[in-house]
Amino acid sequence: GCFEAVEAKRRLIEWAARSAASQSAVPGQPKVDSADRSRDKISNPSTIGSVLSAASDAELTAASGPTLWPIIATSTIFALMHWTYGMSSFPLFFFALGLGYVYQRTHRIWPSLVAHLLLNATSMATLWYLVTNPSK
């Protein structure tokens, strides 16, 4: 959620700067100057609330919709945390991609926690079975 919040704020600031630039464009003046000034003004935390209240739901969705880099970053961290498990860190990276996708769509941690718990329980049950029933 942290990386997603950073991305949403970055997109919102860009959207607000584009919005302000298109509304205050004066013929004969380049839009880049007003966009830069708007970005400086919008990046101030006290003005973010006014931008949010002025934006429509569709504009906010477009400005802060889902993105892929937070899922990839957290999946990489998850896989690196399991690096000492050997080659299992590679499939765990893809497992984490799925968990990240579920979290991004639902904004609930419980489905990911339950899936992680089930994977760990399955691994432990398999290990228990292999230890108690050695092959002959």
Side-chain angles (χ1 to χ4, degrees):
C2 295
F3 291 145
E4 194 175 38
V6 168
E7 178 65 12
K9 183 177 178 183
R10 184 192 66 79
R11 285 183 175 188
L12 182 61
I13 289 169
E14 283 183 3
W15 169 82
R18 281 193 311 269
S19 240
S22 66
Q23 291 173 358
S24 65
V26 177
Q29 280 188 328
K31 288 185 179 181
V32 176
D33 292 337
S34 62
D36 288 341
R37 277 182 268 139
S38 299
R39 180 173 285 124
D40 293 338
K41 182 176 144 189
I42 297 300
S43 62
N44 180 357
S46 64
T47 59
I48 294 289
S50 63
V51 170
L52 286 173
S53 62
S56 71
D57 289 342
E59 290 168 328
L60 288 177
T61 302
S64 64
T67 185
L68 194 57
W69 80 260
I71 295 174
I72 293 172
T74 54
S75 297
T76 302
I77 292 168
F78 183 81
L80 289 174
M81 290 175 67
H82 294 83
W83 188 259
T84 59
Y85 296 175
M87 294 301 290
S88 67
S89 61
F90 294 109
L92 285 176
F93 172 77
F94 294 104
F95 178 66
L97 286 175
L99 296 180
Y101 178 80
V102 168
Y103 175 77
Q104 190 179 60
R105 295 301 185 255
T106 63
H107 289 283
R108 291 184 175 33
I109 195 71
W110 283 106
S112 297
L113 287 175
V114 169
H116 191 282
L117 177 106
L118 290 174
L119 178 67
N120 288 349
T122 303
S123 299
M124 293 305 292
T126 304
L127 178 64
W128 176 80
Y129 177 78
L130 291 174
V131 168
T132 59
N133 299 314
S135 60
K136 298 175 185 183

